[in-house]
Amino acid sequence: MPTPDRRTDFEAQTRPLLNGLYGAALRLTSSRAQADDLVQETMLQAYLSWHRFEPGTNLRGWMHRILVNGFISQYRKSKRERRALDLGVDPSRRAMLLSSAQERLEEDDGGVRFNGLTRAVSEALDALPEEFRAVVVMSDLGEMSYREIAEARGCPIGTVMSRLHRARRALARSLQRPGDEAVAEAA
């Protein structure tokens, strides 16, 4: 059973990070309810792993790493669940599976007024490999620095910069319209 000192220490050190974690979760999920759940799961995982945290290291990076890993795990799980069901057979199942953010992306405006991404950009982002998608989300949507991303992902800054560059190039290619070859070559 956890000691009261462990709990007090955990709460004292993580409480100041809650707003930042919630902001990152909201940017990742585009849903207040899902962001709440993600932050709650992050806090639970962090508390259960608190004995592994090394005092004096970057707590914010450690917490964001747990948050992003939780988001990616949930994203993969929901993607597998959606694929497992034949949505064409029973349209009522479709409504049960789509999150509010996903439903907004299917609206006429492509969800732009809610999260700033068009359907084409969202689809292109979803098509990226996970390691590329994660750095784009953290950098461009989450406004995290290269150092914060490197700490959260557990990789060198050079790797973050390389993945971000390759991800942006892949996004530019997938969003390229016919006749825009010069734009793609410059990217």
Side-chain angles (χ1 to χ4, degrees):
M1 181 165 189
T3 64
D5 290 340
R6 176 181 172 200
R7 180 178 170 199
T8 304
D9 182 44
F10 176 78
E11 288 178 359
Q13 291 192 49
T14 59
R15 188 175 306 264
L17 303 175
L18 283 175
N19 286 339
L21 288 170
Y22 181 75
L26 191 56
R27 285 187 292 270
L28 288 169
T29 63
S30 300
S31 162
R32 290 187 187 280
Q34 289 176 346
D36 287 339
D37 291 346
L38 182 56
V39 170
Q40 183 176 9
E41 184 64 26
T42 299
M43 295 301 287
L44 175 62
Q45 291 304 316
Y47 184 71
L48 293 174
S49 301
W50 189 241
H51 63 281
R52 286 190 242 149
F53 176 71
E54 297 177 28
T57 60
N58 185 348
L59 177 60
R60 181 175 184 255
W62 187 72
M63 295 291 289
H64 277 272
R65 182 179 199 174
I66 293 171
L67 180 109
V68 170
N69 288 344
F71 170 75
I72 291 168
S73 295
Q74 186 59 38
Y75 177 83
R76 286 179 178 160
K77 180 181 174 188
S78 67
K79 200 169 186 177
R80 282 192 305 268
E81 288 172 353
R82 284 193 304 264
R83 267 190 246 137
L85 293 174
D86 179 13
L87 299 177
V89 174
D90 184 1
S92 65
R93 285 186 182 172
R94 181 174 178 77
M96 290 187 300
L97 294 175
L98 292 178
S99 70
S100 59
Q102 291 164 322
E103 287 173 349
R104 285 195 301 270
L105 288 174
E106 292 193 352
E107 292 175 357
D108 293 335
D109 70 351
V112 172
R113 64 192 156 123
F114 292 100
N115 63 9
L117 301 179
T118 64
R119 174 177 283 156
V121 172
S122 293
E123 288 172 357
L125 194 57
D126 286 344
L128 290 175
E130 179 273 324
E131 66 270 8
F132 290 173
R133 182 176 50 251
V135 296
V136 169
V137 167
M138 295 170 84
S139 173
D140 297 341
L141 302 177
E143 299 176 359
M144 293 175 71
S145 71
Y146 291 157
R147 176 183 299 212
E148 291 170 330
I149 296 168
E151 290 172 357
R153 298 292 297 165
C155 64
I157 289 176
T159 301
V160 169
M161 292 173 15
S162 172
R163 287 178 182 171
L164 192 54
H165 175 73
R166 292 190 307 178
R168 288 174 177 161
R169 256 194 4 218
L171 284 171
R173 277 193 306 271
S174 66
L175 294 171
Q176 177 183 347
R177 295 182 306 239
D180 286 349
E181 290 83 18
V183 173
E185 289 173 10

